[in-house]
mmCIF file of all heavy atoms in Angstrom:
data_model
loop_
_atom_site.group_PDB
_atom_site.id
_atom_site.type_symbol
_atom_site.label_atom_id
_atom_site.label_comp_id
_atom_site.label_asym_id
_atom_site.label_seq_id
_atom_site.Cartn_x
_atom_site.Cartn_y
_atom_site.Cartn_z
ATOM 1 N N THR I 22 70.821 173.354 69.019
ATOM 2 C CA THR I 22 70.188 172.287 69.804
ATOM 3 C C THR I 22 71.222 171.268 70.270
ATOM 4 O O THR I 22 71.311 170.940 71.460
ATOM 5 C CB THR I 22 69.091 171.588 68.985
ATOM 6 O OG1 THR I 22 68.125 172.555 68.566
ATOM 7 C CG2 THR I 22 68.395 170.515 69.806
ATOM 8 N N VAL I 23 71.991 170.749 69.330
ATOM 9 C CA VAL I 23 73.099 169.839 69.652
ATOM 10 C C VAL I 23 74.383 170.545 69.223
ATOM 11 O O VAL I 23 74.522 170.926 68.059
ATOM 12 C CB VAL I 23 72.963 168.488 68.922
ATOM 13 C CG1 VAL I 23 74.168 167.599 69.224
ATOM 14 C CG2 VAL I 23 71.671 167.780 69.337
ATOM 15 N N PRO I 24 75.329 170.749 70.147
ATOM 16 C CA PRO I 24 76.529 171.524 69.827
ATOM 17 C C PRO I 24 77.294 170.957 68.634
ATOM 18 O O PRO I 24 77.450 169.734 68.508
ATOM 19 C CB PRO I 24 77.373 171.428 71.107
ATOM 20 C CG PRO I 24 76.419 171.065 72.191
ATOM 21 C CD PRO I 24 75.337 170.259 71.541
ATOM 22 N N LEU I 25 77.759 171.841 67.774
ATOM 23 C CA LEU I 25 78.568 171.437 66.630
ATOM 24 C C LEU I 25 79.796 170.640 67.072
ATOM 25 O O LEU I 25 80.241 169.721 66.381
ATOM 26 C CB LEU I 25 78.989 172.673 65.839
ATOM 27 C CG LEU I 25 79.894 172.467 64.625
ATOM 28 C CD1 LEU I 25 79.230 171.571 63.593
ATOM 29 C CD2 LEU I 25 80.255 173.818 64.015
ATOM 30 N N ASP I 26 80.343 170.978 68.245
ATOM 31 C CA ASP I 26 81.511 170.251 68.752
ATOM 32 C C ASP I 26 81.208 168.772 68.966
ATOM 33 O O ASP I 26 82.140 167.959 69.026
ATOM 34 C CB ASP I 26 82.008 170.878 70.054
ATOM 35 C CG ASP I 26 82.956 172.044 69.805
ATOM 36 O OD1 ASP I 26 83.356 172.231 68.641
ATOM 37 O OD2 ASP I 26 83.294 172.751 70.768
ATOM 38 N N GLY I 27 79.922 168.420 69.104
ATOM 39 C CA GLY I 27 79.586 167.004 69.235
ATOM 40 C C GLY I 27 80.095 166.196 68.061
ATOM 41 O O GLY I 27 80.647 165.099 68.229
ATOM 42 N N SER I 28 79.936 166.736 66.849
ATOM 43 C CA SER I 28 80.419 166.045 65.653
ATOM 44 C C SER I 28 81.901 166.275 65.417
ATOM 45 O O SER I 28 82.630 165.372 64.997
ATOM 46 C CB SER I 28 79.619 166.498 64.425
ATOM 47 O OG SER I 28 78.306 165.980 64.455
ATOM 48 N N ARG I 29 82.361 167.498 65.686
ATOM 49 C CA ARG I 29 83.784 167.783 65.470
ATOM 50 C C ARG I 29 84.674 166.928 66.370
ATOM 51 O O ARG I 29 85.685 166.379 65.929
ATOM 52 C CB ARG I 29 84.051 169.265 65.708
ATOM 53 C CG ARG I 29 83.506 170.176 64.614
ATOM 54 C CD ARG I 29 83.807 171.635 64.896
ATOM 55 N NE ARG I 29 83.467 172.505 63.770
ATOM 56 C CZ ARG I 29 83.619 173.821 63.781
ATOM 57 N NH1 ARG I 29 84.105 174.427 64.867
ATOM 58 N NH2 ARG I 29 83.286 174.542 62.722
ATOM 59 N N GLU I 30 84.293 166.830 67.637
ATOM 60 C CA GLU I 30 85.085 166.027 68.572
ATOM 61 C C GLU I 30 85.001 164.542 68.228
ATOM 62 O O GLU I 30 85.992 163.805 68.359
ATOM 63 C CB GLU I 30 84.622 166.275 70.007
ATOM 64 C CG GLU I 30 84.933 167.666 70.532
ATOM 65 C CD GLU I 30 86.433 167.909 70.630
ATOM 66 O OE1 GLU I 30 87.173 166.978 70.957
ATOM 67 O OE2 GLU I 30 86.857 169.054 70.360
ATOM 68 N N ALA I 31 83.820 164.088 67.791
ATOM 69 C CA ALA I 31 83.685 162.684 67.384
ATOM 70 C C ALA I 31 84.573 162.391 66.183
ATOM 71 O O ALA I 31 85.233 161.343 66.116
ATOM 72 C CB ALA I 31 82.226 162.370 67.065
ATOM 73 N N TYR I 32 84.607 163.319 65.232
ATOM 74 C CA TYR I 32 85.458 163.153 64.049
ATOM 75 C C TYR I 32 86.924 163.019 64.456
ATOM 76 O O TYR I 32 87.627 162.105 63.997
ATOM 77 C CB TYR I 32 85.268 164.346 63.114
ATOM 78 C CG TYR I 32 86.263 164.412 61.985
ATOM 79 C CD1 TYR I 32 86.177 163.558 60.895
ATOM 80 C CD2 TYR I 32 87.314 165.335 62.017
ATOM 81 C CE1 TYR I 32 87.092 163.620 59.853
ATOM 82 C CE2 TYR I 32 88.235 165.405 60.986
ATOM 83 C CZ TYR I 32 88.121 164.547 59.906
ATOM 84 O OH TYR I 32 89.039 164.603 58.887
ATOM 85 N N ARG I 33 87.373 163.908 65.331
ATOM 86 C CA ARG I 33 88.774 163.855 65.769
ATOM 87 C C ARG I 33 89.069 162.538 66.493
ATOM 88 O O ARG I 33 90.117 161.913 66.264
ATOM 89 C CB ARG I 33 89.072 165.041 66.678
ATOM 90 C CG ARG I 33 88.993 166.405 65.991
ATOM 91 C CD ARG I 33 89.468 167.512 66.915
ATOM 92 N NE ARG I 33 89.275 168.839 66.324
ATOM 93 C CZ ARG I 33 88.304 169.668 66.652
ATOM 94 N NH1 ARG I 33 87.435 169.335 67.599
ATOM 95 N NH2 ARG I 33 88.193 170.846 66.065
ATOM 96 N N ALA I 34 88.160 162.118 67.353
ATOM 97 C CA ALA I 34 88.381 160.887 68.116
ATOM 98 C C ALA I 34 88.368 159.660 67.207
ATOM 99 O O ALA I 34 89.166 158.726 67.389
ATOM 100 C CB ALA I 34 87.320 160.756 69.210
ATOM 101 N N LEU I 35 87.481 159.657 66.234
ATOM 102 C CA LEU I 35 87.422 158.532 65.300
ATOM 103 C C LEU I 35 88.684 158.460 64.445
ATOM 104 O O LEU I 35 89.237 157.366 64.223
ATOM 105 C CB LEU I 35 86.185 158.655 64.418
ATOM 106 C CG LEU I 35 84.850 158.346 65.095
ATOM 107 C CD1 LEU I 35 83.680 158.833 64.237
ATOM 108 C CD2 LEU I 35 84.710 156.858 65.368
ATOM 109 N N ARG I 36 89.152 159.603 63.988
ATOM 110 C CA ARG I 36 90.394 159.621 63.211
ATOM 111 C C ARG I 36 91.560 159.136 64.055
ATOM 112 O O ARG I 36 92.411 158.358 63.589
ATOM 113 C CB ARG I 36 90.670 161.045 62.698
ATOM 114 C CG ARG I 36 89.755 161.499 61.574
ATOM 115 C CD ARG I 36 90.021 160.738 60.282
ATOM 116 N NE ARG I 36 91.397 160.848 59.852
ATOM 117 C CZ ARG I 36 91.861 161.807 59.058
ATOM 118 N NH1 ARG I 36 91.039 162.743 58.610
ATOM 119 N NH2 ARG I 36 93.124 161.828 58.705
ATOM 120 N N ALA I 37 91.613 159.570 65.314
ATOM 121 C CA ALA I 37 92.687 159.147 66.208
ATOM 122 C C ALA I 37 92.622 157.645 66.476
ATOM 123 O O ALA I 37 93.657 157.009 66.718
ATOM 124 C CB ALA I 37 92.610 159.917 67.526
ATOM 125 N N ALA I 38 91.396 157.085 66.418
ATOM 126 C CA ALA I 38 91.222 155.644 66.642
ATOM 127 C C ALA I 38 91.527 154.821 65.397
ATOM 128 O O ALA I 38 91.488 153.596 65.433
ATOM 129 C CB ALA I 38 89.797 155.370 67.113
ATOM 130 N N GLY I 39 91.813 155.503 64.295
ATOM 131 C CA GLY I 39 92.164 154.802 63.064
ATOM 132 C C GLY I 39 90.996 154.527 62.142
ATOM 133 O O GLY I 39 91.126 153.773 61.175
ATOM 134 N N ALA I 40 89.827 155.156 62.414
ATOM 135 C CA ALA I 40 88.652 154.911 61.588
ATOM 136 C C ALA I 40 88.682 155.758 60.317
ATOM 137 O O ALA I 40 89.293 156.829 60.277
ATOM 138 C CB ALA I 40 87.380 155.218 62.385
ATOM 139 N N GLU I 41 88.008 155.265 59.296
ATOM 140 C CA GLU I 41 87.829 156.012 58.050
ATOM 141 C C GLU I 41 86.561 156.852 58.203
ATOM 142 O O GLU I 41 85.472 156.305 58.392
ATOM 143 C CB GLU I 41 87.699 155.055 56.876
ATOM 144 C CG GLU I 41 87.574 155.728 55.520
ATOM 145 C CD GLU I 41 87.495 154.724 54.387
ATOM 146 O OE1 GLU I 41 88.275 153.752 54.403
ATOM 147 O OE2 GLU I 41 86.631 154.914 53.498
ATOM 148 N N VAL I 42 86.690 158.184 58.097
ATOM 149 C CA VAL I 42 85.576 159.085 58.409
ATOM 150 C C VAL I 42 85.414 160.152 57.336
ATOM 151 O O VAL I 42 86.382 160.811 56.959
ATOM 152 C CB VAL I 42 85.791 159.811 59.765
ATOM 153 C CG1 VAL I 42 84.488 160.469 60.217
ATOM 154 C CG2 VAL I 42 86.330 158.881 60.825
ATOM 155 N N LYS I 43 84.177 160.320 56.852
ATOM 156 C CA LYS I 43 83.795 161.464 56.032
ATOM 157 C C LYS I 43 83.114 162.458 56.962
ATOM 158 O O LYS I 43 82.278 162.088 57.771
ATOM 159 C CB LYS I 43 82.812 161.050 54.936
ATOM 160 C CG LYS I 43 83.423 160.263 53.792
ATOM 161 C CD LYS I 43 82.332 159.723 52.875
ATOM 162 C CE LYS I 43 81.693 160.790 52.007
ATOM 163 N NZ LYS I 43 80.471 161.388 52.537
ATOM 164 N N TYR I 44 83.458 163.728 56.809
ATOM 165 C CA TYR I 44 82.841 164.746 57.659
ATOM 166 C C TYR I 44 82.305 165.872 56.794
ATOM 167 O O TYR I 44 83.038 166.448 55.985
ATOM 168 C CB TYR I 44 83.853 165.292 58.662
ATOM 169 C CG TYR I 44 83.279 166.350 59.574
ATOM 170 C CD1 TYR I 44 82.505 165.994 60.674
ATOM 171 C CD2 TYR I 44 83.496 167.702 59.319
ATOM 172 C CE1 TYR I 44 81.965 166.968 61.504
ATOM 173 C CE2 TYR I 44 82.960 168.684 60.139
ATOM 174 C CZ TYR I 44 82.190 168.309 61.227
ATOM 175 O OH TYR I 44 81.647 169.279 62.046
ATOM 176 N N THR I 45 81.004 166.193 56.965
ATOM 177 C CA THR I 45 80.378 167.249 56.184
ATOM 178 C C THR I 45 79.706 168.232 57.130
ATOM 179 O O THR I 45 78.858 167.844 57.944
ATOM 180 C CB THR I 45 79.325 166.668 55.218
ATOM 181 O OG1 THR I 45 79.927 165.673 54.395
ATOM 182 C CG2 THR I 45 78.749 167.775 54.341
ATOM 183 N N GLU I 46 80.094 169.496 57.002
ATOM 184 C CA GLU I 46 79.533 170.562 57.834
ATOM 185 C C GLU I 46 78.784 171.529 56.921
ATOM 186 O O GLU I 46 79.347 171.997 55.929
ATOM 187 C CB GLU I 46 80.663 171.276 58.565
ATOM 188 C CG GLU I 46 80.244 172.041 59.796
ATOM 189 C CD GLU I 46 81.451 172.486 60.611
ATOM 190 O OE1 GLU I 46 82.047 171.631 61.309
ATOM 191 O OE2 GLU I 46 81.800 173.684 60.536
ATOM 192 N N PHE I 47 77.528 171.802 57.249
ATOM 193 C CA PHE I 47 76.698 172.652 56.405
ATOM 194 C C PHE I 47 76.687 174.090 56.936
ATOM 195 O O PHE I 47 76.144 174.339 58.017
ATOM 196 C CB PHE I 47 75.265 172.118 56.346
ATOM 197 C CG PHE I 47 75.154 170.730 55.762
ATOM 198 C CD1 PHE I 47 74.756 169.663 56.561
ATOM 199 C CD2 PHE I 47 75.441 170.497 54.422
ATOM 200 C CE1 PHE I 47 74.646 168.395 56.038
ATOM 201 C CE2 PHE I 47 75.334 169.227 53.886
ATOM 202 C CZ PHE I 47 74.936 168.164 54.694
ATOM 203 N N PRO I 48 77.246 175.051 56.207
ATOM 204 C CA PRO I 48 77.273 176.455 56.659
ATOM 205 C C PRO I 48 75.857 177.036 56.764
ATOM 206 O O PRO I 48 75.035 176.872 55.859
ATOM 207 C CB PRO I 48 78.075 177.180 55.569
ATOM 208 C CG PRO I 48 78.823 176.097 54.857
ATOM 209 C CD PRO I 48 77.968 174.882 54.939
ATOM 210 N N GLY I 49 75.582 177.684 57.887
ATOM 211 C CA GLY I 49 74.308 178.361 58.068
ATOM 212 C C GLY I 49 73.127 177.473 58.357
ATOM 213 O O GLY I 49 71.997 177.956 58.501
ATOM 214 N N VAL I 50 73.336 176.175 58.450
ATOM 215 C CA VAL I 50 72.234 175.231 58.693
ATOM 216 C C VAL I 50 72.088 174.996 60.186
ATOM 217 O O VAL I 50 73.075 174.752 60.886
ATOM 218 C CB VAL I 50 72.473 173.899 57.950
ATOM 219 C CG1 VAL I 50 71.416 172.863 58.336
ATOM 220 C CG2 VAL I 50 72.464 174.126 56.448
ATOM 221 N N ALA I 51 70.844 175.043 60.664
ATOM 222 C CA ALA I 51 70.576 174.833 62.091
ATOM 223 C C ALA I 51 70.426 173.341 62.368
ATOM 224 O O ALA I 51 71.113 172.522 61.766
ATOM 225 C CB ALA I 51 69.336 175.627 62.499
ATOM 226 N N HIS I 52 69.502 172.977 63.256
ATOM 227 C CA HIS I 52 69.453 171.585 63.718
ATOM 228 C C HIS I 52 68.976 170.603 62.650
ATOM 229 O O HIS I 52 69.339 169.433 62.700
ATOM 230 C CB HIS I 52 68.555 171.490 64.953
ATOM 231 C CG HIS I 52 68.639 170.167 65.651
ATOM 232 N ND1 HIS I 52 69.849 169.602 66.031
ATOM 233 C CD2 HIS I 52 67.674 169.285 66.036
ATOM 234 C CE1 HIS I 52 69.616 168.442 66.624
ATOM 235 N NE2 HIS I 52 68.315 168.229 66.635
ATOM 236 N N GLY I 53 68.206 171.070 61.694
ATOM 237 C CA GLY I 53 67.670 170.142 60.697
ATOM 238 C C GLY I 53 68.651 169.765 59.611
ATOM 239 O O GLY I 53 68.303 169.743 58.422
ATOM 240 N N SER I 54 69.851 169.425 59.975
ATOM 241 C CA SER I 54 70.886 169.133 58.970
ATOM 242 C C SER I 54 70.639 167.819 58.241
ATOM 243 O O SER I 54 71.337 167.518 57.271
ATOM 244 C CB SER I 54 72.274 169.122 59.618
ATOM 245 O OG SER I 54 72.309 168.281 60.746
ATOM 246 N N TRP I 55 69.657 167.047 58.694
ATOM 247 C CA TRP I 55 69.329 165.821 57.960
ATOM 248 C C TRP I 55 68.760 166.149 56.577
ATOM 249 O O TRP I 55 68.924 165.350 55.649
ATOM 250 C CB TRP I 55 68.353 164.953 58.756
ATOM 251 C CG TRP I 55 67.154 165.682 59.285
ATOM 252 C CD1 TRP I 55 65.988 165.936 58.633
ATOM 253 C CD2 TRP I 55 67.020 166.253 60.592
ATOM 254 N NE1 TRP I 55 65.122 166.630 59.444
ATOM 255 C CE2 TRP I 55 65.726 166.834 60.658
ATOM 256 C CE3 TRP I 55 67.856 166.331 61.714
ATOM 257 C CZ2 TRP I 55 65.252 167.487 61.801
ATOM 258 C CZ3 TRP I 55 67.385 166.983 62.855
ATOM 259 C CH2 TRP I 55 66.095 167.549 62.888
ATOM 260 N N ASN I 56 68.114 167.294 56.425
ATOM 261 C CA ASN I 56 67.535 167.639 55.115
ATOM 262 C C ASN I 56 68.610 167.797 54.046
ATOM 263 O O ASN I 56 68.547 167.130 52.999
ATOM 264 C CB ASN I 56 66.670 168.896 55.232
ATOM 265 C CG ASN I 56 65.421 168.659 56.050
ATOM 266 O OD1 ASN I 56 64.752 167.642 55.884
ATOM 267 N ND2 ASN I 56 65.104 169.578 56.947
ATOM 268 N N PRO I 57 69.638 168.637 54.249
ATOM 269 C CA PRO I 57 70.702 168.687 53.232
ATOM 270 C C PRO I 57 71.513 167.396 53.173
ATOM 271 O O PRO I 57 72.026 167.043 52.105
ATOM 272 C CB PRO I 57 71.570 169.870 53.674
ATOM 273 C CG PRO I 57 71.278 170.071 55.113
ATOM 274 C CD PRO I 57 69.845 169.660 55.290
ATOM 275 N N ALA I 58 71.622 166.680 54.294
ATOM 276 C CA ALA I 58 72.381 165.420 54.280
ATOM 277 C C ALA I 58 71.731 164.412 53.341
ATOM 278 O O ALA I 58 72.399 163.791 52.504
ATOM 279 C CB ALA I 58 72.481 164.847 55.689
ATOM 280 N N PHE I 59 70.401 164.244 53.456
ATOM 281 C CA PHE I 59 69.702 163.294 52.596
ATOM 282 C C PHE I 59 69.744 163.711 51.130
ATOM 283 O O PHE I 59 69.583 162.867 50.243
ATOM 284 C CB PHE I 59 68.239 163.152 53.033
ATOM 285 C CG PHE I 59 68.056 162.567 54.411
ATOM 286 C CD1 PHE I 59 66.928 162.875 55.159
ATOM 287 C CD2 PHE I 59 69.008 161.728 54.963
ATOM 288 C CE1 PHE I 59 66.741 162.351 56.433
ATOM 289 C CE2 PHE I 59 68.836 161.192 56.238
ATOM 290 C CZ PHE I 59 67.709 161.508 56.975
ATOM 291 N N SER I 60 69.961 165.004 50.885
ATOM 292 C CA SER I 60 69.998 165.508 49.508
ATOM 293 C C SER I 60 71.379 165.423 48.881
ATOM 294 O O SER I 60 71.526 165.699 47.683
ATOM 295 C CB SER I 60 69.515 166.969 49.470
ATOM 296 O OG SER I 60 68.183 167.069 49.911
ATOM 297 N N MET I 61 72.380 165.060 49.651
ATOM 298 C CA MET I 61 73.728 164.943 49.092
ATOM 299 C C MET I 61 73.754 163.838 48.035
ATOM 300 O O MET I 61 73.260 162.723 48.275
ATOM 301 C CB MET I 61 74.733 164.626 50.199
ATOM 302 C CG MET I 61 74.885 165.723 51.237
ATOM 303 S SD MET I 61 75.708 167.194 50.592
ATOM 304 C CE MET I 61 77.400 166.599 50.491
ATOM 305 N N PRO I 62 74.318 164.108 46.862
ATOM 306 C CA PRO I 62 74.278 163.109 45.784
ATOM 307 C C PRO I 62 75.001 161.815 46.113
ATOM 308 O O PRO I 62 74.701 160.775 45.533
ATOM 309 C CB PRO I 62 74.940 163.840 44.605
ATOM 310 C CG PRO I 62 75.683 164.979 45.198
ATOM 311 C CD PRO I 62 74.951 165.372 46.433
#
């Protein structure tokens, strides 16, 4: 639904801008990645 590159490119741009960034990619997860995200400890 939303290309994975949307987050990957944002991560790269934020790092290049000097921001502190955590990046988590869920293998095999489709658009509903908020479900595993909210479950992260």
Side-chain angles (χ1 to χ4, degrees):
T22 302
V23 177
L25 178 60
D26 275 350
S28 288
R29 288 180 172 179
E30 291 295 324
Y32 170 75
R33 295 187 186 103
L35 286 166
R36 287 291 303 271
E41 183 178 316
V42 194
K43 286 171 74 266
Y44 180 80
T45 305
E46 201 169 284
F47 299 113
V50 173
H52 191 52
S54 52
W55 49 85
N56 292 316
F59 296 153
S60 298
M61 296 290 286

